[in-house]
Amino acid sequence: MSPRQDTRQLILDTALRLFEERGYARTTMRAIAEEAGVTPSNAYYWFASKDELVQAFYLRIQTEHAERAAMALASGLPLTDRLRAVEHAFLDVIADYHGFGSAFVAIAISPESPTHPLSESSAPAREQSMAIYREVVAGAAPRVPDKVRDILPELLWLCHLGVTLFWVTDRSPGQERTRRLVDATVPLITPMLRVARLPWGGAVVDQVRGALAVAMERAG
Amino acid sequence: MSPRQDTRQLILDTALRLFEERGYARTTMRAIAEEAGVTPSNAYYWFASKDELVQAFYLRIQTEHAERAAMALASGLPLTDRLRAVEHAFLDVIADYHGFGSAFVAIAISPESPTHPLSESSAPAREQSMAIYREVVAGAAPRVPDKVRDILPELLWLCHLGVTLFWVTDRSPGQERTRRLVDATVPLITPMLRVARLPWGGAVVDQVRGALAVAMERAG
């Protein structure tokens, strides 16, 4: 890592620490710069706004998730095992950030927010995350039926957003309730795939495809 | 309505107007009292905090939703038609409040928030809303299979939370995208019920029941 990249990392680390200590709203770019020991103009060179810090945080989370997921996905396992491993890997990655998870959702939830998971500026982090679910589906043994291979990654990614939201509001110790929710919902994928293989399953898959298209419209 | 109830309504109406004009965070109880032309102590007599105003708002929304839903549910229709009518009735009720929907979600999303939809203090509004979905299921023709009658209202209510969240972040004109999402997802209930009637459907229903129990744990 170059010294310049070090500065960027230092600013991001400092920002995350201050978000946790003081709350997101009360943390200014100026305070982040001061705590990191850099000039405000240097901080603004790397991050034009707190929104950009949030995007950088998203990307860091996704990169860590991709790394852990790759380990979990190394051996060719059934789809449910792969999905469960990937979700638990995500919960491992975000465990330390529970203190300000709700502050981030509070910002992302606003219709015009650039940090909305379906916004244009969230595209890099979203694509990186979606790629994990494409890999979950692509490498599953037995092979996922062809007619759901194109829609399943997006569907799983939306469920993953739901899990993340549940985690944010989860006040059980260590957010263990979210892990139990993952364990309780992942097996439902088996009957879903079984339906897809039924004679009337093709029509259902098309209905799901239509609903997904509306849900993902904003992401383009 | 008694004059006392009039005062309560006036304070709530004023609060909602100020939340829209100034944002939730920037609106104080003192400002609400002043705008409503009552003393701060009178305002605090009716609502001990802004959280209580939010709960009163939830209850008003649910009461209006229940009234409109009752009209939509008068004639014995199939489950999908009943559900679609009830969701569109809800979107009619909340249409005017889109301006501060995200502020409310931002507050409700915090793990310790008393306005969280699964919190103890949200129980009255939640129960009123859940009753609508129980009625949607109970009065459907043809009759909903027995083995899903106990879990379907909760499942539909959780989906309804998801629709509400989608609506909050929906920036399409008049939030028409949310209406299209409702129209695209409601028909999926038919294949779900069809699965419940299959020989292996009972086990799937039990899996869904287990997942729902974890999701609703906090509500007790």
Side-chain angles (χ1 to χ4, degrees):
Chain A
M1 205 179 281
S2 71
R4 281 162 57 86
Q5 282 296 326
D6 276 352
T7 303
R8 188 175 181 281
Q9 287 287 76
L10 173 68
I11 295 167
L12 179 56
D13 286 337
T14 307
L16 295 177
R17 180 166 59 78
L18 293 186
F19 291 161
E20 176 138 41
E21 285 171 12
R22 310 178 181 177
Y24 179 85
R26 275 188 294 275
T27 305
T28 60
M29 284 293 284
R30 183 167 289 274
I32 294 164
E34 196 171 300
E35 277 283 315
V38 302
T39 62
S41 62
N42 194 352
Y44 278 111
Y45 168 79
W46 289 107
F47 303 100
S49 64
K50 285 200 289 180
D51 280 337
E52 288 194 8
L53 278 161
V54 175
Q55 294 295 353
F57 171 67
Y58 282 175
L59 273 172
R60 175 193 284 191
I61 291 280
Q62 299 313 336
T63 304
E64 279 185 46
H65 187 204
E67 282 165 14
R68 289 202 193 215
M71 288 188 287
L73 296 176
S75 56
L77 288 166
L79 182 59
T80 47
D81 291 333
R82 292 168 71 84
L83 183 58
R84 191 185 301 108
V86 158
E87 285 310 286
H88 282 287
F90 183 71
L91 294 173
D92 292 340
V93 168
I94 61 176
D96 287 345
Y97 306 116
H98 195 254
F100 52 89
S102 59
F104 275 21
V105 174
I107 305 151
I109 217 81
S110 170
E112 302 303 330
S113 171
T115 63
H116 187 289
L118 293 173
S119 75
E120 210 174 311
S121 22
S122 296
R126 182 172 65 245
E127 278 310 306
Q128 209 169 323
S129 181
M130 196 79 83
I132 297 172
Y133 295 92
R134 272 195 285 270
E135 174 57 23
V136 165
V137 172
R143 189 180 150 87
V144 170
D146 279 343
K147 57 182 157 191
V148 297
R149 284 175 84 90
D150 65 324
I151 61 165
L152 204 50
E154 273 190 359
L155 189 62
L156 296 180
W157 183 78
L158 282 177
C159 293
H160 164 71
L161 276 194
V163 167
T164 308
L165 198 62
F166 190 87
W167 173 86
V168 161
T169 79
D170 184 356
R171 54 182 184 174
S172 66
Q175 291 74 54
E176 58 84 24
R177 193 183 294 161
T178 305
R179 293 188 184 266
R180 285 191 290 117
L181 186 73
V182 166
D183 293 343
T185 48
V186 163
L188 288 167
I189 209 167
T190 305
M192 279 176 51
L193 295 185
R194 201 163 169 179
V195 167
R197 287 191 209 96
L198 293 173
W200 46 274
V204 180
V205 172
D206 288 341
Q207 280 183 315
V208 173
R209 184 177 289 113
L212 265 179
V214 179
M216 299 292 294
E217 229 168 58
R218 178 171 175 176
Chain B
M1 205 178 279
S2 72
R4 281 164 56 85
Q5 282 295 327
D6 276 351
T7 304
R8 189 175 180 283
Q9 287 287 77
L10 173 67
I11 295 166
L12 180 54
D13 286 336
T14 307
L16 295 177
R17 179 166 59 78
L18 293 187
F19 291 161
E20 177 138 39
E21 287 170 10
R22 308 178 184 179
Y24 179 86
R26 276 188 295 274
T27 305
T28 61
M29 283 296 283
R30 184 167 288 273
I32 294 164
E34 195 170 301
E35 275 283 316
V38 303
T39 62
S41 62
N42 194 352
Y44 278 112
Y45 168 79
W46 289 107
F47 302 99
S49 63
K50 286 200 287 180
D51 279 337
E52 289 195 7
L53 278 162
V54 175
Q55 293 294 352
F57 171 67
Y58 282 177
L59 273 172
R60 175 193 282 190
I61 291 281
Q62 299 313 337
T63 304
E64 279 185 46
H65 187 204
E67 282 166 13
R68 290 202 193 214
M71 290 190 286
L73 296 176
S75 56
L77 288 167
L79 182 59
T80 46
D81 292 334
R82 292 167 70 85
L83 184 58
R84 192 185 300 109
V86 157
E87 285 310 287
H88 281 287
F90 183 71
L91 294 174
D92 292 340
V93 168
I94 60 176
D96 287 346
Y97 306 117
H98 194 255
F100 52 89
S102 60
F104 276 22
V105 174
I107 305 150
I109 217 82
S110 170
E112 302 303 330
S113 171
T115 63
H116 187 288
L118 293 173
S119 75
E120 211 174 310
S121 22
S122 296
R126 180 173 66 244
E127 278 310 306
Q128 210 168 322
S129 180
M130 197 79 84
I132 297 172
Y133 295 91
R134 273 195 286 269
E135 174 57 23
V136 164
V137 172
R143 190 180 149 86
V144 170
D146 278 344
K147 57 181 156 190
V148 297
R149 284 176 82 90
D150 65 324
I151 61 165
L152 204 50
E154 272 189 0
L155 189 61
L156 297 179
W157 183 78
L158 282 178
C159 293
H160 164 72
L161 276 195
V163 167
T164 308
L165 197 63
F166 190 87
W167 173 86
V168 160
T169 78
D170 183 356
R171 53 181 186 175
S172 67
Q175 291 74 56
E176 56 84 25
R177 192 183 294 163
T178 305
R179 293 187 185 266
R180 285 190 289 117
L181 186 73
V182 165
D183 293 344
T185 48
V186 163
L188 288 167
I189 209 168
T190 305
M192 278 177 50
L193 294 184
R194 201 164 169 178
V195 168
R197 288 191 208 93
L198 293 174
W200 47 273
V204 180
V205 172
D206 288 341
Q207 280 183 314
V208 173
R209 184 177 289 113
L212 265 178
V214 180
M216 299 291 295
E217 229 168 58
R218 177 170 175 176

